[in-house]
Amino acid sequence: IILANLKKNAQDEQSQNLYKALRENLIKLISSNWRIENTLWNSYDSFTGIGKGLPSFSSASSMILFILSEDYV
C-alpha cells in the first residue's frame, strides 16, 4: 500500500527516490532470503532481514510479484 501510494503521488525527486529505494530493498530482502532458505516467510526481522514467522507462508511475500511488476491494484 505504501509503495502504491508513493508511486502514484511521488511528485518530487525525494519522493521518487524513496519509492525506488524502498522497492529495491524489498526485492533484495525477499530474494536473498529465497536464495538462502528456498522459502518465503510470514515476516522479516526489521534489523537483520532474516525471515521469521511461518515458513512457506506466501500471502505476504507473494506481494513481491506486484512489486516487481509495479502493478499495484
Side-chain angles (χ1 to χ4, degrees):
I1 296 172
I2 293 171
L3 279 174
N5 284 321
L6 273 174
K7 182 171 176 59
K8 180 179 178 183
N9 298 310
Q11 301 297 321
D12 60 4
E13 186 176 344
Q14 184 178 8
S15 297
Q16 292 170 1
N17 289 339
L18 178 61
Y19 166 78
K20 289 176 186 176
L22 182 56
R23 181 177 178 270
E24 288 173 10
N25 286 337
L26 285 168
I27 292 168
K28 286 178 187 176
L29 172 76
I30 293 175
S31 63
S32 67
N33 272 272
W34 176 261
R35 280 192 298 273
I36 294 168
E37 301 186 35
N38 202 30
T39 192
L40 300 174
W41 290 92
N42 183 35
S43 59
Y44 299 86
D45 186 276
S46 58
F47 293 105
T48 64
I50 296 172
K52 61 182 186 175
L54 300 171
S56 300
F57 185 84
S58 61
S59 67
S61 292
S62 65
M63 293 295 290
I64 197 67
L65 297 174
F66 294 109
I67 294 169
L68 287 167
S69 68
E70 294 185 294
D71 184 19
Y72 308 109
V73 181

